[in-house]
């Protein structure tokens, strides 16, 4: 049985103090989980990474950063480098979240450079892809995702593939104004993403975990979890509240 991934990106929502309180609660929950079944990860804001990393040192929770530059060093004010994130023990680097694409003009080409940089620094890129509402309405979701996959994974070979994670996050389903996606639609799209990966990388393409994210909540998480095409859940708001996150984690765990 493969591990099921469950993780959360805190975005810009938690101060260090709030993040530490949250992490202490999450540690108690994680102690009750069998980590051969669930890979649990958190993605705090940059200033919290070092203290939160030391808080989870004695646990099996994995930690990641929300973004990074692709260069090791240089005159890039406000950026952090792969070298810096590797030095503080990051497991995962989240790349290409739709908010970074929308508000910070992040392109597939830039994400691709970051993917290579993360892999070179022995950290797992968690690459976010997703179509916008008008792309869905014009029936070009799969074409859009195919383009994003081909461009963000450009230059990778089969040896890299076991070290990457993909998150399908339809832009129209994310955040406060997001419309939760129908699980049949998610299943279909995950199947199409898998076909694209297998076309590109043959058998190794079938090994890449494909997580789903976008308004996952207590009412719908099981519908995604139960789908064999979904290898993990990437959760925002419903994971920032420990009561709902604990319920999601424990229920999924009991069903694995
Ligand atoms: C996200 O923004 O990546 C996300 C999944 O958020 P939410 O679950 O709150 O829609």
């Amino acid at each position: 049985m493969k591990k099921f991934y469950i993780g959360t990106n805190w975005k810009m929502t938690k101060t260090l103090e709030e993040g530490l309180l949250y992490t202490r609660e999450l540690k108690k929950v994680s102690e009750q989980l069998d980590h051969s079944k669930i890979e649990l990860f958190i993605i705090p804001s940059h200033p919290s990474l070092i203290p939160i990393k030391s808080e989870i040192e004695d646990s099996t929770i994995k930690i990641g950063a929300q973004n990074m530059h692709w260069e090791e060093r240089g005159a890039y004010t406000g950026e952090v480098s792969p070298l810096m994130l590797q030095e503080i023990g990051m497991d995962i680097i989240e790349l290409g979240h739709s908010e970074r694409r929308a508000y910070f003009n992040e392109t597939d080409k830039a994400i691709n450079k970051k993917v290579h940089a993360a892999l070179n620094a022995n950290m797992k890129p968690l690459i976010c892809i997703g179509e916008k509402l008008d792309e869905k309405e014009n029936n070009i979701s799969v074409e859009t995702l195919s383009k994003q996959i081909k461009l963000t994974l450009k230059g990778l070979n089969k040896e890299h593939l076991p070290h990457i994670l993909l998150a399908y996050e339809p832009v129209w389903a994310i955040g406060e104004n997001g419309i939760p996606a129908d699980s049949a639609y998610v299943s279909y799209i995950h199947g199409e993403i898998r076909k694209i990966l297998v076309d590109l990388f043959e058998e190794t393409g079938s090994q890449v975990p494909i997580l789903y994210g976008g308004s996952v909540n207590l009412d719908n998480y099981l519908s995604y979890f139960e789908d064999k095409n979904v290898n993990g859940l990437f959760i925002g708001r419903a994971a920032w509240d420990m009561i709902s996150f604990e319920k999601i984690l424990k229920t999924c765990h009991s069903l694995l």
Side-chain angles (χ1 to χ4, degrees):
M1 184 192 62
K2 284 195 201 145
K3 276 190 178 183
F4 192 80
Y5 289 76
I6 303 185
T8 177
N9 157 24
W10 294 357
K11 306 193 184 182
M12 198 175 71
T13 65
K14 290 188 194 298
T15 63
L16 172 57
E17 196 182 338
E18 291 161 352
L20 282 168
L21 289 174
Y22 175 99
T23 305
R24 286 177 195 133
E25 290 301 306
L26 187 62
K27 263 169 67 177
K28 287 186 212 147
V29 178
S30 100
E31 277 157 17
Q32 298 165 53
L33 307 176
D34 172 352
H35 290 272
S36 63
K37 293 184 182 178
I38 288 192
E39 185 84 284
L40 171 59
F41 64 91
I42 52 176
I43 308 195
S45 306
H46 283 147
S48 301
L49 290 175
I50 296 174
I52 301 280
K53 167 80 185 169
S54 83
E55 187 64 41
I56 57 169
E57 211 61 78
D58 57 346
S59 81
T60 49
I61 302 172
K62 297 276 192 289
I63 186 167
Q66 294 178 17
N67 179 38
M68 69 170 195
H69 200 277
W70 57 83
E71 294 287 351
E72 282 197 353
R73 299 171 192 275
Y76 299 103
T77 302
E79 293 289 319
V80 297
S81 83
L83 190 65
M84 295 165 189
L85 293 172
Q86 181 192 39
E87 186 183 30
I88 62 168
M90 289 303 101
D91 303 299
I92 294 169
I93 308 295
E94 179 181 359
L95 297 172
H97 188 279
S98 66
E99 289 152 12
R100 294 222 47 93
R101 292 173 185 261
Y103 308 140
F104 304 98
N105 303 319
E106 192 149 288
T107 61
D108 287 321
K109 197 172 170 192
I111 296 164
N112 178 247
K113 290 187 192 176
K114 297 178 182 197
V115 167
H116 282 274
L119 289 167
N120 287 337
N122 293 318
M123 299 179 291
K124 275 191 179 188
L126 166 57
I127 304 146
C128 302
I129 54 170
E131 81 282 11
K132 297 188 190 122
L133 186 58
D134 68 306
E135 291 163 333
K136 177 172 184 274
E137 287 174 347
N138 284 299
N139 290 320
I140 54 165
S141 301
V142 176
E143 284 95 319
T144 303
L145 294 164
S146 172
K147 182 170 167 241
Q148 291 176 350
I149 292 169
K150 286 177 184 154
L151 293 178
T152 59
L153 303 192
K154 196 169 169 184
L156 297 194
N157 58 43
K158 289 181 189 170
E159 283 72 59
H160 293 126
L161 270 262
H163 308 291
I164 71 166
L165 303 168
L166 215 58
Y168 169 54
E169 298 209 300
V171 180
W172 47 270
I174 287 177
E176 292 293 340
N177 302 316
I179 309 152
D182 187 73
S183 59
Y185 180 77
V186 172
S187 180
Y188 161 70
I189 294 286
H190 275 231
E192 293 299 308
I193 293 173
R194 182 66 70 207
K195 281 190 212 155
I196 295 164
L197 290 171
V198 170
D199 269 358
L200 289 172
F201 300 101
E202 297 168 348
E203 172 52 25
T204 353
S206 63
Q207 310 293 326
V208 177
I210 309 172
L211 286 59
Y212 176 69
S215 293
V216 173
N217 59 37
L218 282 179
D219 295 329
N220 62 24
Y221 73 101
L222 276 177
S223 68
Y224 306 127
F225 169 79
E226 280 164 354
D227 193 287
K228 65 172 176 26
N229 291 339
V230 175
N231 313 120
L233 298 174
F234 193 28
I235 313 175
R237 289 156 298 154
W240 303 338
D241 170 60
M242 194 50 69
I243 297 175
S244 59
F245 200 29
E246 178 170 1
K247 169 93 182 136
I248 293 171
L249 283 165
K250 286 190 173 163
T251 309
C252 292
H253 182 258
S254 71
L255 295 170
L256 282 166

